[in-house]
Amino acid sequence: MSKQSKAKRDKRKKLQPKRPINRLNAQQQVQNHAVLTNEEGQVVAAIGLQGTEWLLAIGGQTMGNADNPIPMLAMLKHLSNVQEKEGRKVNLEYSSQLQQLIDDLAADEGKTADEYLTQLVSEFEGVEGEEGEDAETAETAADASEDAPVADEAGTDAAADATPAASDDKPQA
């Protein structure tokens, strides 16, 4: 080796472009595709794409992931509707890539994108309605139990004790 070979090598390295250091298990950046913001401009919830996986973040915490972002978008749309019913002003914006995905899925079912998204949102409202019906059924059952005869400590009905027995001197089972 010549005495100048190290100098030449160092000069060549300086002229080469910098290359990033690839670390093992390096996280890819998340690209936001849908953002739900409140009236102060703070992000309430978002849907992002990280590699090939769609992520749902609510309140700064990742809540879930999926291969298909459309159900998550319907959930955000439902959340937006609920917030507006409660008098809060929110804004839901989503990317053209997500809009294209909705358009494609809606075309497969022969609907417009708005109709398709509205149908998905109504499914979330249906789940909420079923929970409300269960609560009403429980309240109705509680009301009915108040009208029913109450069992005493021995486990017999108070209504059965009120009716005269055929023979009072025999022990009852």
Side-chain angles (χ1 to χ4, degrees):
M1 279 213 265
S2 72
K3 292 181 182 181
Q4 296 180 354
S5 62
K6 182 176 181 327
K8 289 179 186 177
R9 187 174 59 244
D10 289 344
K11 184 179 179 183
R12 195 175 3 147
K13 281 185 179 180
K14 281 186 180 181
L15 294 175
Q16 288 179 345
K18 299 282 185 201
R19 61 177 197 216
I21 298 172
N22 291 328
R23 302 206 183 274
L24 294 176
N25 298 327
Q27 292 288 327
Q28 294 177 333
Q29 290 285 46
V30 177
Q31 302 169 354
N32 283 337
H33 283 273
V35 179
L36 180 66
T37 55
N38 62 11
E39 52 197 15
E40 288 105 31
Q42 297 171 329
V43 176
V44 176
I47 298 173
L49 181 62
Q50 184 177 34
T52 60
E53 192 170 52
W54 293 92
L55 302 174
L56 172 67
I58 299 176
Q61 298 288 323
T62 301
M63 295 297 183
N65 57 356
D67 294 330
N68 184 3
I70 303 304
M72 291 190 281
L73 182 63
M75 190 181 342
L76 286 186
K77 184 76 172 160
H78 173 68
L79 181 61
S80 170
N81 292 343
V82 168
Q83 293 292 316
E84 287 177 358
K85 284 179 186 175
E86 292 177 358
R88 296 183 190 99
K89 184 169 173 46
V90 293
N91 185 25
L92 178 62
E93 296 176 357
Y94 42 94
S95 68
S96 58
Q97 182 182 357
L98 205 50
Q99 182 64 49
Q100 184 62 43
L101 193 58
I102 295 168
D103 291 340
D104 293 344
L105 289 171
D108 290 345
E109 292 194 15
K111 298 180 180 179
T112 66
D114 289 336
E115 290 172 347
Y116 182 73
L117 196 55
T118 303
Q119 175 193 356
L120 291 175
V121 170
S122 68
E123 290 175 9
F124 282 103
E125 291 170 354
V127 169
E128 227 178 57
E130 289 173 9
E131 289 173 0
E133 289 172 8
D134 290 344
E136 289 177 16
T137 305
E139 288 176 13
T140 307
D143 291 342
S145 67
E146 289 175 5
D147 296 337
V150 179
D152 61 6
E153 291 177 9
T156 58
D157 286 343
D161 290 341
T163 57
S167 62
D168 287 335
D169 53 343
K170 293 183 182 178
Q172 296 182 3

